[in-house]
Amino acid sequence: MSIWLKKILPGLVLGILVGSFLIKVNLLSGSEQAIQFIVTTLSDETNIKIVGFLYLFGGLVGMMKISGGIKGFSEWIGKKMNTQRGLLALIWLTLPFTFMMPMFRIMMIGPVVKSLMEKVKISKEKVGFTMDVSTASVIVLLPVATAFVGFMVSLVEAGIQENGLELTPYSVFLLSIPFNFFAIVMLIIGLIRTFWKSKKQKEETNHKEDEKKSQHQYHRIGIKKELSMVKAQPWNLIVPLFLLLGLSLFLLWQDGISKGADTLFDAFSEADATFVMLLAVFITLILTFLFYVIRKLPLDEMLYHFIDGGNQLMQAIILLILVWALSLTAEDLGFSEFISSSLGNFLPVFTIPAIIFLIGSVVGYFIGSSWGTWGLFMPLGMTLATATDASIPMTVGAVFASGSFGAMTSPLGDTTITTASILEMPLVDYARYKLKISAIGAGIATVLYLFGAWLFL
């Protein structure tokens, strides 16, 4: 239905309803079950942290827009950056300051990048792909200070304990990083696409963008006109963003230390990055509000655009809630057990890493969650690797690669949803655009797994 309508929302709602009616074959009971899945999703601590972070960050962006911060910074950086390549390079250059969490990075750089796009006449899809590939393919390869590290190490630790192995979880995690072939290949592809451009593609995509603009020329015209009239004030962007960045790093360290970490490296590994990002954006909002009051910005305007900025991300938030509810529906129907029992028994020894990657990628695409894919396939991958003497680091790397593929390409992925929402792109069309490129990366990664497994035999 999502492909047919080119809208993801109806397909998600139908998926949850069908799954609920399969669990409880009754109109009223099935409807109650669907609502229960949504309520359970909203009751999850991690999920509600992500929802809160997205809305508060959207509100912060709204305040920075009406204060002239984004306009001022865009005009300042625009004088130094006049080409498509310069804009794409800027996206990569922001990585050292925004690597902690995928949605944190997208939300930090998205509004600024969007304001610069029209000047250099570049397609939204190419910009969105560069944002996503520089996020999903890099953060998953970092061994410290990201929202992924603690969860990834915990999955490896559970697999080691389940199979009675005498290995150190963090060491296995570190050894698996070079075997995340998909993320590495996509990183290379992303860098190549940044510094290589096709004139034919540029003309086609720009024509496509012109058509889309003409179809939605009246959308939010009042807000856009108001924002175009604000006075450019670059410090109204620079101060909040550096405050947010500094608070994020400091609170990551503090949270890790509070959990018993002895070193800075350990502190970043132990910290709850999702909660830290929410706390950092909350404190930043309060301090930014005071900063703007001191600079004599109208209180009514700030409050109105805070709410408007948060509301601009409600589509992304609703989609994420439905995606999480759909995952619960699939689990209640026995999806994990089905994958393990029906597919796990037919994997040839020589091709275990490659097949784990391929099956995991297909599942990851349809559930749209790297965390869900990793949680589903890590026990299977570790058990098969132990039973057949396959390389454990390579198999672990293949599991993480499969989740990377799902997060990068799926229209249900939080990165895809957030990027499409910020850049105002049709979600399904954008996901198709990324899938064409990512399929090449997946093909290369599969060959590398087959070759690598042959070397380790």
Side-chain angles (χ1 to χ4, degrees), residues 73-82 116 119:
F73 185 80
S74 300
E75 290 180 357
W76 175 73
I77 198 76
K79 294 175 182 177
K80 306 174 184 299
M81 188 274 302
N82 298 300
L116 295 168
K119 179 182 178 182

Side-chain angles (χ1 to χ4, degrees), residues 4-250:
W4 173 47
L5 295 176
K6 294 188 177 180
K7 300 288 182 183
I8 198 72
L9 186 61
L12 284 171
V13 173
L14 181 63
I16 294 170
L17 287 173
V18 169
S20 299
F21 291 143
L22 287 172
I23 294 170
K24 294 187 177 180
V25 192
N26 178 283
L27 183 60
L28 182 58
S29 299
S31 299
E32 289 176 349
Q33 183 64 53
I35 295 299
Q36 186 60 49
F37 283 132
I38 295 173
V39 170
T40 302
T41 291
L42 290 171
S43 303
D44 183 87
E45 184 178 346
T46 300
N47 292 349
I48 207 66
K49 288 176 189 174
I50 293 173
V51 169
F53 169 79
L54 284 174
Y55 194 89
L56 291 182
F57 203 112
L60 179 63
V61 170
M63 289 170 59
M64 290 190 295
K65 283 181 179 178
I66 196 60
S67 71
I70 291 179
K71 182 179 181 180
F73 185 80
S74 300
E75 290 180 357
W76 175 73
I77 198 76
K79 294 175 182 177
K80 306 174 184 299
M81 188 274 302
N82 298 300
T83 64
Q84 293 186 10
R85 191 174 299 174
L87 176 59
L88 298 178
L90 176 67
I91 294 173
W92 288 97
L93 289 173
T94 61
L95 188 58
F97 310 104
T98 57
F99 63 87
M100 289 81 75
M101 178 181 176
M103 278 188 289
F104 174 76
R105 170 167 164 75
I106 298 299
M107 292 293 295
M108 282 276 277
I109 66 175
V112 176
V113 169
K114 181 184 175 184
S115 67
L116 295 168
M117 282 169 50
E118 287 196 19
K119 179 182 178 182
V120 298
K121 303 298 182 185
I122 187 171
S123 73
K124 291 181 179 180
E125 288 87 354
K126 189 167 185 177
V127 172
F129 175 81
T130 305
M131 286 172 56
D132 285 355
V133 79
S134 65
T135 299
S137 297
V138 175
I139 294 178
V140 76
L141 295 174
L142 298 178
V144 68
T146 75
F148 291 152
V149 172
F151 181 68
M152 296 167 87
V153 173
S154 68
L155 288 177
V156 175
E157 182 177 15
I160 289 173
Q161 292 176 352
E162 184 179 344
N163 291 280
L165 304 174
E166 295 183 2
L167 298 171
T168 306
Y170 193 72
S171 299
V172 174
F173 167 66
L174 289 177
L175 291 172
S176 74
I177 291 176
F179 295 111
N180 191 335
F181 292 138
F182 175 76
I184 294 170
V185 169
M186 289 305 297
L187 179 59
I188 295 170
I189 290 175
L191 289 169
I192 291 173
R193 284 178 61 83
T194 297
F195 299 103
W196 175 83
K197 59 182 178 181
S198 165
K199 291 183 179 179
K200 181 180 178 183
Q201 182 185 13
K202 176 184 172 183
E203 291 170 0
E204 288 176 352
T205 51
N206 280 340
H207 177 67
K208 203 174 186 182
E209 290 299 318
D210 291 338
E211 287 182 351
K212 286 177 185 175
K213 283 179 188 175
S214 65
Q215 293 172 4
H216 303 284
Q217 57 183 322
Y218 300 115
H219 182 58
R220 290 176 58 82
I221 190 169
I223 296 290
K224 291 176 181 176
K225 184 176 181 180
E226 181 184 8
L227 294 174
S228 69
M229 296 168 63
V230 300
K231 183 181 178 182
Q233 298 282 351
W235 286 107
N236 287 345
L237 171 80
I238 294 170
V239 170
L241 286 191
F242 273 91
L243 183 62
L244 180 58
L245 179 63
L247 277 170
S248 299
L249 293 173
F250 174 74

Side-chain angles (χ1 to χ4, degrees), residues 201-392:
Q201 182 185 13
K202 176 184 172 183
E203 291 170 0
E204 288 176 352
T205 51
N206 280 340
H207 177 67
K208 203 174 186 182
E209 290 299 318
D210 291 338
E211 287 182 351
K212 286 177 185 175
K213 283 179 188 175
S214 65
Q215 293 172 4
H216 303 284
Q217 57 183 322
Y218 300 115
H219 182 58
R220 290 176 58 82
I221 190 169
I223 296 290
K224 291 176 181 176
K225 184 176 181 180
E226 181 184 8
L227 294 174
S228 69
M229 296 168 63
V230 300
K231 183 181 178 182
Q233 298 282 351
W235 286 107
N236 287 345
L237 171 80
I238 294 170
V239 170
L241 286 191
F242 273 91
L243 183 62
L244 180 58
L245 179 63
L247 277 170
S248 299
L249 293 173
F250 174 74
L251 293 172
L252 276 171
W253 172 67
Q254 281 288 305
D255 191 55
I257 293 296
S258 69
K259 293 179 178 176
D262 297 322
T263 65
L264 182 66
F265 187 83
D266 291 338
F268 281 175
S269 301
E270 293 290 332
D272 181 355
T274 307
F275 175 73
V276 164
M277 297 307 164
L278 176 59
L279 179 59
V281 76
F282 178 72
I283 296 174
T284 300
L285 260 173
I286 296 172
L287 296 178
T288 299
F289 180 80
L290 295 175
F291 175 66
Y292 288 169
V293 168
I294 292 170
R295 291 174 70 89
K296 298 181 178 179
L297 293 171
L299 179 62
D300 290 344
E301 287 293 320
M302 282 193 292
L303 292 176
Y304 176 84
H305 284 275
F306 166 76
I307 296 171
D308 181 69
N311 289 345
Q312 285 301 294
L313 282 173
M314 281 308 300
Q315 181 182 4
I317 290 171
I318 290 169
L319 288 176
L320 285 174
I321 291 170
L322 292 176
V323 167
W324 295 327
L326 186 64
S327 297
L328 289 178
T329 308
E331 287 305 305
D332 267 26
L333 288 168
F335 185 66
S336 300
E337 292 81 359
F338 168 74
I339 291 293
S340 299
S341 61
S342 62
L343 300 178
N345 297 326
F346 298 98
L347 300 178
V349 175
F350 175 70
T351 58
I352 280 178
I355 293 179
I356 284 285
F357 168 68
L358 288 173
I359 297 174
S361 295
V362 172
V363 172
Y365 181 82
F366 284 106
I367 67 176
S369 168
S370 56
W371 296 52
T373 306
W374 296 337
L376 178 61
F377 279 89
M378 189 59 74
L380 175 61
M382 292 283 284
T383 300
L384 287 171
T386 303
T388 60
D389 290 328
S391 169
I392 290 178

